[in-house]
Amino acid sequence: MARGGHGEASTSDRSHSTQNDWADVHGRHFYLGNLGDLQGAGNGSGSCLPTGTKVELSMYATSLVCLFPGEECPLILQRYVARTLVHKVCAAPRPYTRLFGIAYCSFDSLACGGVGCTVELVQVGDLRVCYHPSNDGEDLVDDTDDADGQDNVSLVVRVHQRFEHGPLEAFGVLPRVVCTILDDSPPGRIPPQVMARTSFWEKRFYRPYNAYALCDRARELFSKLFPGEAAGISRAAHDPVRLSFLVASRLPASSIKKQQRLLEMDVTARLGAEVELMTRMTQVKELCCANCGRVLADSRDIFSMTKEGSSGVFVNGAGALHDIVTITKVDGVTKVGRPSFEHSWFPGYMWTIILCNCGMHLGWYFSGNSLLERRPGIDPPLVFFGIRRVALAVPRASESDEEQEGSDSEDDDYSDGGDEYENDLEPEN
């Protein structure tokens, strides 16, 4: 058995600033090679459709990850699928240009409707799409040599808004589905008379609806748990909706649990559940295996390996999506197979599959060698772990801790935020 603890002490002792310097060297999707920016991508068109808008979008369904507004996601599609998708989204009229939908769904529930997100196609790999004028406007032509049709194409999309979609009855290659944009506008503030205690209603009656107080508390806890990412939440610091999505995308949870957070229509309930979980994480600080409950790591060992943060969605060479978090030290793991550079998500690092003692696939062990890029003043970690977020859970608090937490919450403005953010995560193979 290969213990994950050997040789990692020096890595965990490094300062977050040194690690963040290394993170600035590469973006998250550097491993995809040369990606071309789509003209007009990121200019805001289609990123804020009015609430209630009904639009028919091409739908990409996945059973591997659940995405939230504000995230970026890489995709690897077969060339003919990519060509079809690029043609449809680029030929769509404004403000729907470059937009399609992505939704998490299990294969036994495709006939049920659900909630997904609009995504904007922002980067495309080696699919050279040319615009040629025609009588009807502009036609898109792929001028690549596609004799066998088996090559894959890399894409990067940016997640924008939630929508409600109908059944995916004809699930196939990018089916067209009618979607309705959901309301994610900022919540109202508590009346000043209540805050000044001059209202008939006492302040405590408004506690469950004080989204801005919950936002401040969530930001405080998030910064304490993930100091390396404190700067990354500054743009959403005073926006309860954006912050709730950002935090939900970062916390350890299965895709099913994440989908429950995405389905939540009340931002105060979503923030309250996240505050509850992060409060437990600050008390316990341990991360355990979602399958057997064995303690694997300390949340304080999470660090940023890319300039986008300590975690995110990556895609392997087969097109499978994985939502991972980078950690300097993980104990009780078994390495499987030989180290490989093939399709490594981090330039200069070899990856090795790692399993928990119970057999759960935890993620990958990354080790650098002579190919590891070094620059003056930047000392990248020699080894680290990329752990699948669905493989992690937070231990439940003991009964005594729960009783103490309950007594302490009586005078806490943030205690009534929402339902429990469960962490009895189910393994996903």
Side-chain angles (χ1 to χ4, degrees):
M1 177 188 305
R3 297 283 296 179
H6 76 281
E8 281 75 22
S10 60
T11 317
S12 60
D13 292 339
R14 288 189 173 92
S15 66
H16 284 284
S17 60
T18 300
Q19 292 165 339
N20 289 341
D21 288 339
W22 165 248
D24 289 335
V25 174
H26 296 300
R28 180 178 300 157
H29 308 304
F30 184 88
Y31 63 95
L32 292 176
N34 294 326
L35 294 171
D37 295 335
L38 261 67
Q39 184 177 3
N43 63 5
S45 175
S47 62
C48 190
L49 300 175
T51 299
T53 299
K54 290 184 179 293
V55 56
E56 187 178 69
L57 298 174
S58 298
M59 182 72 72
Y60 182 87
T62 174
S63 61
L64 299 174
V65 298
C66 177
L67 298 174
F68 291 87
E71 288 192 274
E72 279 193 353
C73 177
L75 298 173
I76 292 182
L77 305 178
Q78 287 186 317
R79 184 174 298 278
Y80 79 94
V81 177
R83 181 196 298 121
T84 301
L85 176 63
V86 173
H87 177 87
K88 287 182 178 179
V89 302
C90 288
R94 293 182 179 181
Y96 310 115
T97 310
R98 298 179 301 277
L99 288 186
F100 64 102
I102 191 166
Y104 169 80
C105 53
S106 57
F107 287 99
D108 58 354
S109 61
L110 288 173
C112 301
V115 172
C117 292
T118 62
V119 295
E120 179 184 10
L121 183 61
V122 294
Q123 291 182 311
V124 181
D126 61 352
L127 185 71
R128 295 187 293 274
V129 179
C130 301
Y131 290 86
H132 297 282
S134 67
N135 295 332
D136 299 327
E138 292 180 324
D139 290 338
L140 292 99
V141 178
D142 176 18
D143 65 352
T144 53
D145 183 9
D146 187 23
D148 56 9
Q150 298 301 315
D151 292 341
N152 293 331
V153 175
S154 301
L155 312 172
V156 175
V157 301
R158 184 172 297 127
V159 187
H160 286 313
Q161 291 178 277
R162 295 188 308 155
F163 60 69
E164 191 172 42
H165 65 83
L168 302 178
E169 296 177 351
F171 178 69
V173 179
L174 302 174
R176 300 286 288 181
V177 180
V178 175
C179 306
T180 304
I181 301 298
L182 296 176
D183 184 11
D184 281 325
S185 56
R189 294 183 178 271
I190 292 180
Q193 300 92 327
V194 175
M195 302 303 292
R197 300 182 184 275
T198 59
S199 170
F200 171 79
W201 295 102
E202 294 184 17
K203 183 178 177 181
R204 62 188 178 91
F205 289 108
Y206 285 86
R207 286 177 182 170
Y209 313 104
N210 191 347
Y212 292 89
L214 284 166
C215 181
D216 292 339
R217 179 60 173 162
R219 185 179 68 253
E220 175 188 347
L221 289 169
F222 186 88
S223 300
K224 184 183 297 185
L225 286 169
F226 312 107
E229 292 194 56
I233 66 171
S234 59
R235 288 174 294 182
H238 304 292
D239 185 334
V241 176
R242 289 182 62 189
L243 187 72
S244 71
F245 290 143
L246 186 151
V247 172
S249 69
R250 296 291 195 270
L251 295 180
S254 69
S255 296
I256 294 176
K257 299 301 181 183
K258 282 193 170 188
Q259 181 71 359
Q260 292 175 359
R261 298 280 73 81
L262 188 68
L263 286 166
E264 182 59 69
M265 299 300 173
D266 185 3
V267 64
T268 57
R270 188 184 306 120
L271 279 171
E274 293 163 359
V275 165
E276 180 179 346
L277 174 59
M278 289 190 291
T279 299
R280 282 168 43 200
M281 290 180 69
T282 58
Q283 295 168 349
V284 178
K285 297 184 177 62
E286 294 160 339
L287 298 173
C288 62
C289 173
N291 186 44
C292 68
R294 180 189 179 101
V295 174
L296 298 171
D298 190 311
S299 61
R300 291 169 293 187
D301 288 330
I302 294 174
F303 76 104
S304 298
M305 192 57 196
T306 70
K307 62 183 180 182
E308 288 85 0
S310 66
S311 58
V313 179
F314 293 79
V315 60
N316 66 16
L321 298 174
H322 294 282
D323 187 3
I324 71 167
V325 58
T326 48
I327 307 179
T328 58
K329 182 180 179 180
V330 178
D331 294 317
V333 301
T334 302
K335 298 177 186 175
V336 179
R338 294 182 177 181
S340 173
F341 275 117
E342 184 179 2
H343 202 81
S344 177
W345 293 331
F346 304 97
Y349 288 90
M350 297 181 291
W351 55 266
T352 307
I353 294 174
I354 55 173
L355 306 178
C356 178
N357 290 344
C358 68
M360 176 78 165
H361 176 210
L362 296 176
W364 298 267
Y365 173 82
F366 291 92
S367 56
N369 64 5
S370 59
L371 297 179
L372 186 62
E373 181 177 357
R374 297 180 181 274
R375 298 183 180 183
I378 299 179
D379 186 19
L382 296 177
V383 295
F384 66 94
F385 297 81
I387 304 300
R388 299 166 61 234
R389 202 182 300 276
V390 297
L392 293 175
V394 179
R396 291 189 176 277
S398 64
E399 294 183 2
S400 60
D401 291 338
E402 290 178 349
E403 292 176 0
Q404 180 65 32
E405 185 177 328
S407 62
D408 291 343
S409 65
E410 293 180 359
D411 297 323
D412 189 351
D413 286 348
Y414 317 106
S415 61
D416 301 318
D419 58 348
E420 183 179 6
Y421 196 121
E422 297 181 6
N423 287 275
D424 50 340
L425 307 184
E426 301 175 2
E428 296 187 4
N429 297 324

